[in-house]
Amino acid sequence: MLGQVVLSKAGKDSGSFYAVVLEEKDFAYIADGRLRKVEKPKRKRKKHLAPTKTVLSPQDYETDSRLRAALSKFNNTNEGGI
């Protein structure tokens, strides 16, 4: 689901929270506004992502700074809303 906050379960970025900015069949494109910008999201298989209950509005992931602010509570606590 677009805008959903997800936790990476596999890869070098495991344990980090991201937002889904684009979706394809088996893949989600995720960004965090820091290492992965909104303009160049990371392509990741959906099975390697754990969804949370939080869905961001399109305005929240419109720019990198807004996305960082929206994800700050997740990346600081590593608990999120799973």
Side-chain angles (χ1 to χ4, degrees):
M1 169 182 279
L2 286 180
Q4 186 163 28
V5 177
V6 294
L7 175 66
S8 176
K9 298 189 304 185
K12 293 179 181 179
D13 58 0
S14 66
S16 298
F17 288 93
Y18 295 89
V20 177
V21 294
L22 186 67
E23 283 186 295
E24 284 184 354
K25 185 178 176 186
D26 293 330
F27 295 96
Y29 288 82
I30 58 174
D32 66 355
R34 279 192 170 81
L35 298 174
R36 285 294 171 177
K37 305 290 185 182
V38 175
E39 301 84 31
K40 190 171 174 154
K42 174 160 179 59
R43 183 178 132 175
K44 198 160 182 94
R45 289 197 179 272
K46 289 181 181 179
K47 68 180 182 178
H48 294 149
L49 299 171
T52 65
K53 297 175 185 175
T54 305
V55 178
L56 302 176
S57 68
Q59 293 81 19
D60 287 338
Y61 58 92
E62 193 171 74
T63 65
D64 291 322
S65 61
R66 287 185 180 181
L67 182 57
R68 282 193 307 270
L71 292 176
S72 66
K73 67 177 180 177
F74 291 95
N75 286 323
N76 289 338
T77 63
N78 257 2
E79 291 175 12
I82 296 177

